[in-house]
Amino acid sequence: QISEAEVALFSVSSYACQRRTTLDNHNSNLTDALSLLAENAELSNEDGRGVAFRRAAALLKALPTQVISISQTRGLPCLGEHSLRVIKDVLENGVSSEVESTKQSKRYKALKILTGIFGVGAKTADRWIREGIYNLEQLRDSGQTLNRAQKAGLEHYDDLNEPVTKAEADAIGEIVQKAVNSVLPGSEVALTGGFRRGKLTGHDVDFLITHPEEGKEVGLMPKVVAWLESQGFLLYQKTTRNSYLESKDGPARPASNMDRFERCFSIFKLTKRKEQESTQPEEQNDLKTEDILRPHMQADTDQQLCELSKNYQMEAASHKIWRAVRVDLVVSPISQFAFAVLGWTGSKLFERELRRWAGHEKNMSLSSHALFDNTQNKYLRATSEEEIFAYLGLEYIPPSERNA
Ligand code: CTP
Ligand code: MN
Ligand code: MN
Ligand code: MN
């Protein structure tokens, strides 16, 4: 038993943008549980509940030590009644019964599988489930009309659900740099998203592109995409043009949190490097076609043949020399670059909290394009993230500590 005196009382801000959240999470048992419930809420279009669970999880990620007793949560912000119940359950029983039953539920499993398809969101998945579609096989058999993104998503399902490594992110970075330099020398590429925060894996790779001379970046994306396409690097791409209107005295005030940069959602075809090809020993990796095919000749029954065919397909897949990787490209004019870098570095919750802080505490509106001071009725220009934090009256938090 732990005495009151032994219980450390933490004092932390209720704003994630006032906390330093590294990847060194001392409470992953609790944050995994809360994150799963957040995800389930988001997939069920219960955004309010989703944010509440995300904020609770983020608070626990920022604590300097492991919480082992519910009494340690006393006085902590961001922990609602529901989150506390989940925390208590995990602390007392090792698992949360709500998390376990969610994981087992047919609906959650189906939502996970279906939204695992690039191009499929919660709404589409929900519609399909109501039509009795719970997995990829049922989806394929259903004859549902898929859009171009969803077709690509289904085709590259396994690759896109395999985490992207830092080495792969760097390899793609080199390709993007080369593309950008080829079509507009002097352009700059910045790695953003989770990899900029120091994550070792990600679900995609995010890049921000700009040019030091304002205006030079106009029309850059289609050229970059055309170059990548001509070199065979793209399996899929959808480019959206810039819809951010510049007015006389500065950029128009953003209507929503969604930014309006010229962007490209893509799927890269990344050739595997030697050391990335396989983790298997060399001799196993060197299987010849005859070795794979030979057993087929010896199959006596259909069932055996089916087994062998499956093995063959697995062998073929493991010998694939390339893989599909999701890549997000965004082009920003240099005048908005600092805001774009800040907005695209994440985490998503950190961004949400920055905007909440700006609005509620500073009467300012922050977007990935600009910072508007509602009191002074003017835009605040910045050329670095540090300046933006300073305008907001916040201590500067480096990317590696924005993992809320
Ligand atoms: N973002 C955005 N608008 C979008 C999509 C993403 O502004 N339509 C921002 C998010 O707010 C986030 C950043 O882009 O700050 C990266 O988003 P994402 O790639 O989804 O998440 P990561 O943090 O990079 O995590 P992961 O490793 O899963 O990719
Ligand atoms: Mn620590
Ligand atoms: Mn990302
Ligand atoms: Mn992304």
Side-chain angles (χ1 to χ4, degrees):
Q1 295 302 318
I2 305 132
S3 74
E4 282 289 313
E6 286 171 302
V7 172
L9 282 175
F10 306 115
S11 164
V12 282
S13 169
S14 76
Y15 284 97
C17 55
Q18 282 194 308
R19 305 191 296 249
R20 296 178 182 273
T21 314
T22 66
L23 292 167
D24 182 22
N25 176 0
H26 303 280
N27 290 288
S28 49
N29 58 332
L30 302 173
T31 59
D32 285 353
L34 292 165
S35 299
L36 187 135
L37 296 178
E39 182 193 31
N40 185 52
E42 287 157 3
L43 290 174
S44 307
N45 276 310
E46 295 172 12
D47 289 344
R49 265 159 63 91
V51 172
F53 285 131
R54 292 274 175 219
R55 291 186 68 210
L59 185 285
L60 295 171
K61 283 181 198 170
L63 297 181
T65 57
Q66 187 184 5
V67 171
I68 48 170
S69 154
I70 195 73
S71 62
Q72 286 169 285
T73 63
R74 196 154 20 90
L76 290 179
C78 308
L79 304 178
E81 200 187 313
H82 196 158
S83 292
L84 281 171
R85 211 184 321 135
V86 175
I87 293 167
K88 194 155 177 276
D89 210 3
V90 174
L91 291 178
E92 284 171 4
N93 309 309
V95 291
S96 144
S97 54
E98 186 179 358
V99 168
E100 293 310 298
S101 66
T102 302
K103 270 197 220 168
Q104 298 308 315
S105 80
K106 201 177 167 187
R107 183 181 158 77
Y108 174 78
K109 284 186 199 164
L111 282 170
K112 280 291 276 183
I113 292 169
L114 298 175
T115 58
I117 305 170
F118 169 65
V120 177
K123 265 169 84 181
T124 304
D126 181 67
R127 194 182 76 234
W128 286 346
I129 290 169
R130 279 188 276 112
E131 292 176 35
I133 299 165
Y134 290 83
N135 56 44
L136 302 186
E137 207 183 346
Q138 288 171 340
L139 176 63
R140 286 197 180 97
D141 294 344
S142 72
Q144 287 280 342
T145 330
L146 303 180
N147 64 29
R148 211 166 54 84
Q150 294 162 347
K151 276 181 197 152
L154 201 52
E155 186 176 344
H156 305 293
Y157 189 86
D158 290 340
D159 275 358
L160 298 185
N161 282 286
E162 169 104 8
V164 184
T165 65
K166 181 68 169 78
E168 288 170 331
D170 290 339
I172 290 168
E174 284 171 30
I175 296 168
V176 173
Q177 186 75 61
K178 203 169 163 201
V180 162
N181 284 338
S182 303
V183 300
L184 183 63
S187 302
E188 282 158 23
V189 177
L191 179 69
T192 58
F195 286 112
R196 181 162 185 253
R197 302 196 308 275
K199 279 179 64 182
L200 297 176
T201 61
H203 97 282
D204 69 356
V205 196
D206 306 281
F207 295 102
L208 188 59
I209 302 165
T210 191
H211 191 282
E213 215 176 304
E214 184 86 0
K216 284 262 190 187
E217 81 294 341
V218 173
L220 182 53
M221 189 72 88
K223 289 181 199 152
V224 170
V225 169
W227 189 93
L228 290 168
E229 215 135 47
S230 73
Q231 302 286 312
F233 283 123
L234 293 183
L235 294 163
Y236 167 91
Q237 66 86 16
K238 185 178 165 65
T239 305
T240 319
R241 68 185 218 303
N242 188 338
S243 60
Y244 194 75
L245 304 166
E246 283 270 350
S247 69
K248 248 188 269 140
D249 48 0
R253 276 193 57 196
S256 75
N257 290 332
M258 188 75 180
D259 70 64
R260 287 169 284 170
F261 289 118
E262 191 172 30
R263 72 169 66 180
C264 176
F265 298 111
S266 74
I267 301 175
F268 263 58
K269 181 175 184 171
L270 181 65
T271 303
K272 293 183 189 177
R273 290 189 179 163
K274 255 280 165 296
E275 68 272 21
Q276 289 169 4
E277 263 173 32
S278 175
T279 48
Q280 292 168 4
E282 202 52 46
E283 63 270 28
Q284 273 183 47
N285 201 13
D286 227 27
L287 255 183
K288 298 211 170 51
T289 318
E290 309 95 84
D291 298 329
I292 303 164
L293 287 175
R294 202 182 305 115
H296 286 250
M297 321 294 182
Q298 298 160 356
D300 296 329
T301 66
D302 278 357
Q303 201 203 336
Q304 263 179 324
L305 191 63
C306 183
E307 250 341 279
L308 289 165
S309 162
K310 227 187 281 167
N311 289 341
Y312 170 71
Q313 281 173 29
M314 276 164 58
E315 280 298 330
S318 75
H319 282 73
K320 208 174 73 170
I321 57 148
W322 58 270
R323 85 156 184 114
V325 178
R326 271 274 299 113
V327 176
D328 284 339
L329 303 175
V330 179
V331 170
S332 153
I334 191 75
S335 61
Q336 298 172 20
F337 188 67
F339 297 99
V341 170
L342 179 58
W344 277 82
T345 296
S347 69
K348 285 206 181 73
L349 187 83
F350 191 90
E351 302 294 339
R352 170 183 272 277
E353 293 279 280
L354 271 178
R355 294 192 300 264
R356 187 167 72 93
W357 169 270
H360 291 192
E361 308 294 334
K362 295 284 154 181
N363 194 25
M364 293 178 184
S365 313
L366 175 69
S367 77
S368 295
H369 296 279
L371 179 62
F372 187 82
D373 185 332
N374 296 297
T375 310
Q376 299 183 65
N377 199 34
K378 69 169 194 187
Y379 283 95
L380 304 172
R381 303 281 170 178
T383 55
S384 69
E385 290 181 309
E386 283 85 345
E387 276 178 80
I388 304 171
F389 278 86
Y391 279 137
L392 292 169
L394 291 169
E395 213 176 294
Y396 178 68
I397 308 283
S400 61
E401 294 176 340
R402 296 180 203 161
N403 286 291

